[in-house]
Amino acid sequence: MMNERRLSNQSPLMATSQNPNPNPNPNPNPNRKLIFRNWAELNGDVLMLIFRKVGMIDVLMSVGSVCRAWRKVTEDEPALWRRIDMTSRGGKVALMHMHLANLAIGQVSCKQIELMKINLTKIAIDRSRGRIEQFWIEYFGDDDLLQYLCDRTSVLKSLRLISCGKISDEGIVETAKRQPLLEELEISGVLIHNKLPELVGEALPNLKQLNLFQSWHVFQNSRDEDFYNVMAFGIAKTMHHLRSLRLYCSRMSNKGLKAILEGCHT
C-alpha cells in the first residue's frame, strides 16, 4: 500500500521518465522525407580536411578506392601531401602494419614489408609535386629514400627521422645541404656521432629547432663527457639562430652547456 501511494504521488513527468517507451517510433513524422548526403559531391577543400584527419596510411591504401571523386582528390591535390607523416602518431604505423599483413597474408619477409613502406612513401612524395614541407618517417628508410625526396623537392621545412637505423650521417648531411629552407630537424633512436651536429649546422646555419635523441644503448655504454661536449661545441659553433634545442640521453658537462648558451644567442 505504501508503494502504491508513492507511485500515485509522482508527477506525470517523473512517471514518464521512469517508464520510457521501449519501442519509440524512429520516424515520428512519416510524411517527412529522410535526406541522404552524397559524400562524393563534397567540396575538394572539405574532403582534404577530412582526409588529413583520417591519416595518411588510410589515404594511401583505402580512401582512393572509395569512388572516383575521392581518388581524384588524393591523386590530384598536391596540398594534401605537404606533410608526409609515416610515424607512430595516432597508431598510424600499427595501422600500416595491419594493412600490409592483410595484403601479404603472412607470406612476405620483414624486408619485403619495409620495401612496401618505402614504396608507399614514394607514392606520397610523387603526389606532392615538389611541395612537401614536412617529412616524418619512423622505423624504416635509407639514404636512397632521402635522395628520392631531395630529387623532388627543395622546400622542406621539417624533417624527422625516428629510429631510422639505415640512414647514415652522410645521407643526413647531404639532405641538409639540399634543403636550404629546413627549420626543424629531429634525429632519434639511433647512434648519433658527435661530429654530426656541426656538419648539419654548417649546411643549415638558420636552423631553428633541433631534437637529438641519442640511442639508449649508446648512452648506457658511453660515459665519456668529452664525446657529448663535442656535440655541444658543434651546435654552439654553427647554429647561432637556434630557438629550440632538445638533447636526450646526453652526458655533456657544464662546459658544453655553457658553450651552447653563449653560441646560440638569438
Side-chain angles (χ1 to χ4, degrees), residues 192-210:
I192 302 174
H193 295 94
N194 57 0
K195 289 290 186 179
L196 181 60
E198 182 174 352
L199 296 174
V200 169
E202 290 174 350
L204 298 168
N206 295 317
L207 192 68
K208 293 180 173 59
Q209 182 174 336
L210 177 65

Side-chain angles (χ1 to χ4, degrees), residues 110 158 165 237 245:
C110 293
S158 173
K237 178 180 177 182
L245 174 64

Side-chain angles (χ1 to χ4, degrees), residues 183-251:
E183 297 179 348
E184 176 193 355
L185 175 63
E186 175 178 331
I187 306 170
S188 60
V190 296
L191 168 62
I192 302 174
H193 295 94
N194 57 0
K195 289 290 186 179
L196 181 60
E198 182 174 352
L199 296 174
V200 169
E202 290 174 350
L204 298 168
N206 295 317
L207 192 68
K208 293 180 173 59
Q209 182 174 336
L210 177 65
N211 301 329
L212 297 179
F213 299 70
Q214 183 66 273
S215 165
W216 178 250
H217 175 74
V218 174
F219 176 73
Q220 283 185 312
N221 292 280
S222 175
R223 300 187 180 277
D224 183 6
E225 289 184 353
D226 291 338
F227 176 89
Y228 296 96
N229 281 341
V230 169
M231 299 177 69
F233 297 152
I235 293 171
K237 178 180 177 182
T238 60
M239 303 183 188
H240 303 301
H241 299 282
L242 207 60
R243 298 177 182 175
S244 174
L245 174 64
R246 294 181 180 181
L247 299 176
Y248 287 81
C249 295
S250 174
R251 299 186 188 278

Side-chain angles (χ1 to χ4, degrees), residues 86-87 114 117-118 121-122 125 135-150 156 158-176 182 185-193 196 200 212-215:
M86 305 291 277
T87 68
E114 182 172 358
K117 291 188 284 187
I118 290 176
T121 305
K122 288 181 177 180
I125 292 173
F135 186 76
W136 307 340
I137 58 175
E138 182 175 16
Y139 298 129
F140 72 96
D142 50 25
D143 291 354
D144 290 339
L145 181 59
L146 290 184
Q147 182 177 344
Y148 190 91
L149 171 70
C150 291
L156 202 65
S158 173
L159 177 64
R160 297 181 184 178
L161 307 174
I162 304 171
S163 299
C164 300
K166 294 183 178 180
I167 294 179
S168 67
D169 289 0
E170 292 78 12
I172 294 173
V173 173
E174 182 63 24
T175 300
L182 197 64
L185 175 63
E186 175 178 331
I187 306 170
S188 60
V190 296
L191 168 62
I192 302 174
H193 295 94
L196 181 60
V200 169
L212 297 179
F213 299 70
Q214 183 66 273
S215 165

Side-chain angles (χ1 to χ4, degrees), residues 67-85:
C67 62
R68 292 180 180 179
W70 287 21
R71 184 184 303 114
K72 180 177 177 59
V73 172
T74 60
E75 294 180 356
D76 298 338
E77 290 291 347
L80 180 63
W81 306 98
R82 286 181 180 173
R83 181 176 69 187
I84 295 180
D85 184 358

Side-chain angles (χ1 to χ4, degrees), residues 54-63 81 85-87 91-97 99-100 117 120-121:
V54 168
M56 182 154 296
I57 307 303
D58 265 334
V59 173
L60 283 167
M61 303 191 70
S62 304
V63 169
W81 306 98
D85 184 358
M86 305 291 277
T87 68
K92 295 172 185 175
V93 165
L95 180 63
M96 178 164 56
H97 281 297
H99 281 311
L100 295 175
K117 291 188 284 187
L120 282 174
T121 305

